[in-house]
Amino acid sequence: MDLLANVDLGELAMELETLQLSSEFYMAASVTAIVSGLLIGVLGLKLVRFFSAMTGFCIGAGIGLVAGVLLNLPDKAVLGTTIGGAVVFAILFGIFKKIGMFIWIFTSVMGVFGIAAIEKGIIWLIVGAAVGLIIAILSVKFFEPLVIIATSMVGGSSIASGVSMFAGLQSKLILNLVASAVAIAVCVMIQFAMQSRKLKKKEKIIIQEKE
């Protein structure tokens, strides 16, 4: 009875509420990671212009914001330069998709390794930057295959991360790496299969037109 009397019911309720909010946050984060990972990992090549345009949007917004601040413009004018820069660069990168995807691939692949860098040190981030840069450079020449590989890496890692978060296994690094590798491999196979099917359909159309 004395033990129960010393329990602060208000504090206990706050702790339970915090715990519930925390579990809800992890649930939402894990679902978001899985869904976004599936979209990127399976439909990556089909969403190239979208990724490129969003990259341009972010870069343009940053340039517009910095320009407005450096020119000491009023707040509304800074907002205008930010939105204007975002729209202009989104359109440009949507048209010139290889430029946008070069940046997207570099930053996204580096981000995948950056997750490991949180626990294992900066060396993983450096490795990620090197891998991302190599894939980005090669994508200029071999665009579609490297986009498939890069989007599969990002999507597969996101799927594995979401599943790990949902199952409460974030601390199991080796297990997470294995899960990421499997998810990435599956995404790569699916995208290459889809692309192969698309190319075969094009070949059939060309043959039929010649006949």
Side-chain angles (χ1 to χ4, degrees):
M1 292 296 292
D2 291 338
L3 183 61
L4 290 173
N6 291 329
V7 174
D8 189 334
L9 295 178
E11 185 178 343
L12 181 60
M14 286 180 64
E15 288 181 0
L16 289 173
E17 185 177 355
T18 302
L19 199 63
Q20 183 180 1
L21 289 172
S22 178
S23 64
E24 288 175 357
F25 169 78
Y26 275 108
M27 176 69 73
S30 63
V31 170
T32 301
I34 293 169
V35 172
S36 61
L38 285 169
L39 287 173
I40 297 170
V42 176
L43 301 175
L45 189 59
K46 295 181 181 294
L47 298 174
V48 159
R49 288 199 187 276
F50 173 77
F51 294 145
S52 185
M54 287 299 99
T55 302
F57 184 90
C58 295
I59 292 173
I63 292 173
L65 176 62
V66 171
V69 171
L70 290 177
L71 293 171
N72 201 25
L73 298 176
D75 290 346
K76 289 184 178 179
V78 172
L79 179 62
T81 58
T82 303
I83 295 173
V87 171
V88 170
F89 273 79
I91 293 171
L92 287 174
F93 277 38
I95 296 170
F96 304 104
K97 60 183 181 181
K98 284 192 177 183
I99 298 174
M101 285 308 295
F102 182 96
I103 299 170
W104 187 91
I105 289 171
F106 172 65
T107 54
S108 298
V109 172
M110 183 172 64
V112 170
F113 284 83
I115 296 171
I118 296 173
E119 291 188 7
K120 295 298 180 179
I122 194 68
I123 187 67
W124 279 90
L125 191 61
I126 296 171
V127 171
V131 173
L133 185 59
I134 290 169
I135 296 176
I137 291 171
L138 290 175
S139 72
V140 176
K141 180 70 174 176
F142 309 102
F143 186 70
E144 291 183 352
L146 270 298
V147 167
I148 287 175
I149 290 171
T151 53
S152 295
M153 287 179 67
V154 175
S157 298
S158 181
I159 293 168
S161 177
V163 172
S164 173
M165 196 182 302
F166 184 82
L169 299 172
Q170 302 97 308
S171 60
K172 309 292 184 181
L173 182 61
I174 302 299
L175 183 62
N176 288 329
L177 289 174
V178 172
S180 294
V182 172
I184 290 168
V186 171
C187 288
V188 167
M189 288 188 291
I190 290 173
Q191 285 206 69
F192 271 115
M194 291 170 63
Q195 185 64 7
S196 176
R197 194 178 302 120
K198 179 183 174 182
L199 292 174
K200 285 180 181 178
K201 285 182 180 179
K202 282 186 177 181
E203 287 177 1
K204 285 183 180 179
I205 292 170
I206 293 170
I207 293 170
Q208 288 173 357
E209 287 177 350
K210 286 181 178 179
E211 293 176 350

